[in-house]
């Protein structure tokens, strides 16, 4: 599968009108390349761990662009709303659901957690939709026990803490929460640098923002390819965006 997050389509920041337009075009080029990578690698599943959109006020034309790109895939896609495109009043997902009429696109919408059984794959995907980005929201709260008959994949969007303490930032994800899930892979979003935060037997990664601004990032952006096998377990590698 491919794991990405923090695409931020429709960003309205970054300088004057010309600079903003150029940045938005770069975002689209990167997302288009990400879909190309999924097709080229013939992956079975695409996970988007929050902030597909930069905010809930994005233009309908931006949503239509995302629709058109996802329509190029026949592989299942699971999208978790993040803090930028949260499921609050006026959410982009209420205005026009990216999954409308698309049986292969699944948007996690339940605020207390939702499990999605992917047809044709021995895979269960779970996530908890965010309504409000606050320290009281814990993205992994309510995750069920692991189903040992299938690969179990969790999506979470929030800030990672190595130690358990009163969080200073919103939507905390604690190391012990990851470890105690017992799941095979936790696909994380919110922190824009690719990083490995695996805990014990649980593999967990931040995919990083595909429009990469951090030092050492591939100039064209990258996405994580995750391979699941009985023989080798979970393998993760960065893949350049096409």
């Amino acid at each position: 599968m491919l794991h990405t997050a923090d695409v931020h389509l429709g960003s309205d920041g970054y300088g004057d009108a010309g600079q903003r337009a150029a940045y938005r075009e770069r975002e689209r080029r990167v997302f288009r390349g990400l879909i190309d990578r999924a097709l080229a690698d013939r992956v079975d599943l695409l996970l988007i761990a929050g902030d597909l959109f930069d905010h809930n006020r994005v233009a309908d034309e931006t949503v239509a662009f995302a629709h058109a790109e996802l329509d190029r895939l026949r592989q299942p896609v699971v999208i978790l709303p993040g803090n930028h495109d949260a499921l609050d009043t006026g959410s982009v997902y209420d205005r026009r659901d990216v999954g409308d009429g698309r049986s292969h696109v699944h948007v996690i919408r339940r605020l207390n957690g939702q499990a999605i059984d992917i047809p044709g794959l021995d895979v269960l995907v779970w996530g908890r939709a965010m309504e409000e980005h606050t320290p009281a929201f814990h993205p992994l709260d309510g995750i069920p026990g692991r189903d040992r008959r299938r690969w179990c994949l969790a999506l979470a969007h929030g800030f990672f803490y190595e130690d358990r303490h009163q969080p200073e930032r919103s939507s905390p994800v604690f190391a012990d929460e990851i470890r105690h899930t017992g799941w095979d892979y936790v696909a994380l979003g919110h922190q824009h640098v690719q990083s490995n935060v695996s805990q014990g037997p649980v593999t967990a990664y931040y995919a990083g923002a595909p429009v990469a601004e951090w030092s050492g990032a591939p100039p064209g952006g990258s996405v994580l390819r995750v391979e699941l096998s009985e023989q080798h377990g979970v393998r993760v590698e960065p893949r350049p965006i096409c």
Side-chain angles (χ1 to χ4, degrees):
M1 64 185 176
L2 290 187
H3 163 205
T4 192
D6 302 288
V7 180
H8 292 286
L9 290 172
S11 170
D12 56 7
Y14 305 99
D16 61 26
Q19 290 170 316
R20 291 196 299 271
Y23 195 85
R24 285 194 293 269
E25 178 53 36
R26 182 185 175 195
E27 293 166 347
R28 292 191 179 200
R29 185 171 65 250
V30 167
F31 189 60
R32 194 178 297 118
L34 193 152
I35 300 299
D36 288 341
R37 172 55 63 198
L39 292 168
D41 284 8
R42 298 181 180 180
V43 298
D44 298 302
L45 178 64
L46 172 63
L47 301 179
I48 303 177
D51 291 353
L52 172 60
F53 300 102
D54 189 63
H55 49 76
N56 281 322
R57 306 178 312 280
V58 296
D60 287 342
E61 191 264 338
T62 299
V63 181
F65 166 79
H67 277 219
E69 289 303 311
L70 293 172
D71 277 349
R72 294 202 288 131
L73 295 175
R74 288 297 173 263
Q75 300 95 323
V77 180
V78 181
I79 301 171
L80 177 73
N83 62 302
H84 279 253
D85 52 5
L87 283 180
D88 56 10
T89 302
S91 169
V92 63
Y93 297 108
D94 289 333
R95 173 161 48 108
R96 186 178 180 187
D97 190 344
V98 173
D100 277 350
R102 293 158 177 82
S103 61
H104 69 296
V105 179
H106 309 269
V107 178
I108 291 174
R109 301 185 59 87
R110 295 180 187 168
L111 301 178
N112 60 349
Q114 179 178 350
I116 297 174
D117 195 350
I118 304 297
L121 297 176
D122 289 330
V123 166
L124 183 70
V125 181
W126 181 93
R128 184 182 178 204
M130 180 188 302
E131 183 177 35
E132 189 175 2
H133 184 49
T134 70
F137 177 75
H138 289 235
L140 289 175
D141 265 5
I143 188 169
R146 182 175 179 272
D147 182 342
R148 299 189 179 278
R149 299 167 299 173
R150 293 178 287 183
W151 295 102
C152 291
L153 317 174
L155 289 164
H157 191 89
F159 190 81
F160 176 74
Y161 285 92
E162 186 71 46
D163 301 311
R164 171 75 71 155
H165 57 79
Q166 184 66 30
E168 300 124 8
R169 304 180 74 165
S170 296
S171 304
V173 178
F174 295 108
D176 67 318
E177 289 181 309
I178 294 174
R179 184 168 53 253
H180 292 157
T181 67
W183 283 41
D184 297 296
Y185 186 75
V186 179
L188 294 162
H190 189 52
Q191 296 178 202
H192 285 197
V193 178
Q194 278 182 3
S195 48
N196 179 358
V197 294
S198 300
Q199 304 295 319
V202 180
T203 304
Y205 275 78
Y206 281 94
V211 181
E213 305 289 350
W214 45 278
S215 175
S222 68
V223 63
L224 292 180
R225 176 187 171 105
V226 183
E227 296 186 3
L228 311 171
S229 75
E230 294 291 344
Q231 183 178 3
H232 300 293
V234 182
R235 288 181 169 180
V236 182
E237 67 165 330
R239 293 285 283 154
I241 289 174
C242 291

